Amino acid sequence: MTETETNAYDVVVLGAGPVGENVADRTRAAGLTTAVVESELVGGECSYWACMPSKALLRPVIARADARRVPGLRQAVQGPLDAAAVLAHRDYYTSNWKDDGQVGWLDSIGADLFRGHGRLTGPRTVTVTGPDGGERVLTARHAVAVCTGSRAALPRLPGLDAVKPWTSREATSSKTVPGRLIVIGGGVVAAEMATVWQALGSQVTLLVRGKGLLPRMEPFAGELIAEALTEAGADVRTGTSVESVTRENGTVVAVTGTGERIEADEILFATGRAPRTDDIGLESIGLDPGSWLPVDDSLRVSGHDWLYAVGDVNHRALLTHQGKYQARIAGAAIAARATGENLAAEPWGAHAATADHAAVPQVVFTDPEAAAVGLSLAEAEQAGHRVKAVDVDLSTVAGAGLYADGYQGRARMVVDLEEEILRGVTLVGPGVGELIHSATIAVAGQVPVGRLWHAVPSYPTISEVWLRLLEAYRDA
């Protein structure tokens, strides 16, 4: 290509992960011409290196753990997992890292895909450098949506690059099971990947700088998961920092703050995320490269009435489902502004991502599972709400006993004492991931506690925990 081509669209979407795909879906549904720019695989991090491969890896682990708690079945599942079959199952759910299906979907909604590296080169302008080095300039009549997501953040340790550490990408795509694996971190990626690789045959050492796992959830969530990892054979150490890492003759050596040397075949750093904004041309519009992009509740970047930042990149809630929710809101807001429609920007309105503040759900697919929505007790108190936490031992629910022998779990709801609504719910135990949507509806819908008494849980299901929680609140 010898000359730069220019194409005009109503909307240009930078990034074709689940978030960018959903923005494009909503703007196309509104009749707006839409271009989507992607430098890697259409489908993004979630499809190939995060949600889908990690859950495909975890499902056999959790299913075996559940089966081992069922009389008449536990003896049939005492052997090791077939690691090769589990990895093949993972490969199937990543489409073997090919994006033909997702490209076909984009085409089906009438969005135009441009492969290459996209950079802002001025207001409403994105320049795409294609694989062949040629350039196309895309101009947006109404909006540019930055949906470039986030990447793993590595600590500044001398010589770390030479060690070739795993990040979440390598942890979810490895073709082999390491004999020994060090996991650095205490968040969701660390807990889930420690669960996977320990179950597949690795000897896992989990090093957590803080006091426990899952620090953003209620403390009991991390405690129960740490106990289960330890029982499964992992070495879980809290309050442990890593001062240096080297690779000697193929062996990774991590030195802790106390000077202890820990050896492994691979080391995974699950130490947070950073925005993919360092090379997308933010400087051309007066913003700082590499920064998170703060937005209002319609997902529009402050000071730029044409620029939207949707998903991880705005740092509101780094979860795929929440990014897709934001994308639906942003797409609707872009369409409304383009057609002159009045914005429904009030809390819980059609053009306001209110759930980002009040009702973010999350499931951690460990054994046991942890699921939460809304505010923890500490977060609710810090926000100035007058609240009361109500706890129930999940093993007291008939459905839990039927689900698994020796069921262990805990549930908490955080009740706003002034408004008599739920500010948050946390559930930990086998199978609780499928219960969290009922809690999400209660929190997002601001359902009064008095009305929840009329939402009758079926007997005998684990959902009867709702009745136990309400009884505990009544009797407190």
Side-chain angles (χ1 to χ4, degrees):
M1 186 179 299
T2 57
E3 295 184 1
T4 300
E5 296 182 6
T6 301
N7 303 82
Y9 289 87
D10 292 326
V11 180
V12 176
V13 179
L14 203 53
V19 175
E21 289 176 323
N22 274 268
V23 171
D25 185 43
R26 292 297 85 212
T27 56
R28 284 297 301 129
L32 302 179
T33 59
T34 302
V36 180
V37 181
E38 177 54 52
S39 61
E40 292 187 289
L41 296 175
V42 175
E45 196 81 10
C46 174
S47 297
Y48 307 103
W49 300 286
C51 320
M52 295 306 289
S54 67
K55 298 334 171 254
L57 290 168
L58 283 157
R59 179 61 194 143
V61 175
I62 295 171
R64 182 181 66 164
D66 282 347
R68 286 178 169 178
R69 301 184 183 106
V70 178
L73 182 58
R74 63 170 58 97
Q75 295 305 318
V77 289
Q78 287 304 312
L81 289 168
D82 182 339
V86 173
L87 296 180
H89 177 66
R90 181 270 319 272
D91 294 350
Y92 171 80
Y93 273 94
T94 61
S95 300
N96 289 291
W97 291 274
K98 295 178 181 178
D99 63 1
D100 298 8
Q102 306 247 25
V103 171
W105 179 84
L106 268 184
D107 184 62
S108 75
I109 66 169
D112 290 347
L113 173 64
F114 292 86
R115 288 195 183 273
H117 181 66
R119 300 183 80 255
L120 290 159
T121 48
R124 294 185 172 84
T125 305
V126 173
T127 298
V128 183
T129 303
D132 61 356
E135 290 188 344
R136 283 189 174 92
V137 175
L138 309 178
T139 60
R141 299 182 189 93
H142 297 294
V144 173
V146 177
C147 308
T148 49
S150 64
R151 57 177 172 78
L154 290 171
R156 295 181 179 178
L157 288 177
L160 186 58
D161 287 346
V163 174
K164 296 182 179 179
W166 278 10
T167 66
S168 52
R169 283 199 168 193
E170 290 76 21
T172 56
S173 63
S174 177
K175 297 293 187 181
T176 59
V177 179
R180 300 165 297 173
L181 175 66
I182 298 171
V183 179
I184 311 295
V188 175
V189 172
E192 289 189 345
M193 291 300 97
T195 299
V196 163
W197 293 108
Q198 180 67 38
L200 288 178
S202 296
Q203 175 54 58
V204 171
T205 302
L206 180 57
L207 306 180
V208 185
R209 181 186 292 271
K211 295 180 180 179
L213 299 178
L214 306 180
R216 295 186 178 182
M217 285 189 169
E218 299 285 8
F220 63 81
E223 291 166 4
L224 287 170
I225 290 169
E227 289 173 8
L229 279 169
T230 300
E231 185 177 344
D235 182 2
V236 181
R237 308 185 191 185
T238 57
T240 303
S241 63
V242 175
E243 302 302 320
S244 68
V245 179
T246 57
R247 191 180 285 273
E248 304 170 5
N249 299 318
T251 298
V252 174
V253 179
V255 180
T256 70
T258 62
E260 182 182 2
R261 290 166 54 92
I262 303 173
E263 296 186 354
D265 300 291
E266 299 292 350
I267 185 167
L268 163 62
F269 280 88
T271 49
R273 308 290 294 178
R276 291 183 179 273
T277 61
D278 50 322
D279 191 23
I280 63 167
L282 291 182
E283 66 279 2
S284 72
I285 56 170
L287 297 175
D288 295 329
S291 63
W292 302 101
L293 297 175
V295 295
D296 63 19
D297 274 1
S298 72
L299 291 311
R300 189 165 63 171
V301 177
S302 176
H304 299 77
D305 63 3
W306 54 272
L307 184 64
Y308 293 73
V310 194
D312 281 14
V313 75
N314 61 39
H315 208 229
R316 285 162 70 103
L318 278 65
L319 296 160
T320 296
H321 49 270
Q322 210 67 23
K324 290 164 70 174
Y325 160 74
Q326 292 175 13
R328 295 190 292 271
I329 299 293
I334 290 168
R337 289 182 171 122
T339 58
E341 176 187 341
N342 290 330
L343 243 63
E346 71 280 0
W348 306 111
H351 306 118
T354 310
D356 285 350
H357 313 297
V360 174
Q362 182 175 21
V363 178
V364 184
F365 292 85
T366 46
D367 175 38
E369 292 177 343
V373 62
L375 305 179
S376 67
L377 174 61
E379 289 170 338
E381 290 175 339
Q382 290 166 6
H385 301 296
R386 191 168 70 87
V387 294
K388 179 180 181 61
V390 179
D391 290 3
V392 166
D393 181 344
L394 265 169
S395 69
T396 63
V397 177
L402 291 167
Y403 187 94
D405 272 6
Y407 191 107
Q408 291 186 326
R410 187 171 170 185
R412 168 174 288 181
M413 68 178 188
V414 178
V415 183
D416 187 308
L417 296 174
E418 295 178 355
E419 298 190 38
E420 284 279 301
I421 60 174
L422 305 188
R423 291 292 178 185
V425 177
T426 299
L427 303 159
V428 182
V432 299
E434 295 300 334
L435 301 183
I436 198 60
H437 193 58
S438 58
T440 302
I441 292 170
V443 174
Q446 298 181 331
V447 181
V449 171
R451 179 60 63 86
L452 285 175
W453 280 101
H454 299 282
V456 182
S458 297
Y459 181 86
T461 65
I462 304 176
S463 291
E464 270 205 307
V465 67
W466 281 105
L467 181 55
R468 302 285 89 84
L469 285 165
L470 291 168
E471 290 170 341
Y473 177 65
R474 177 197 63 194
D475 297 339

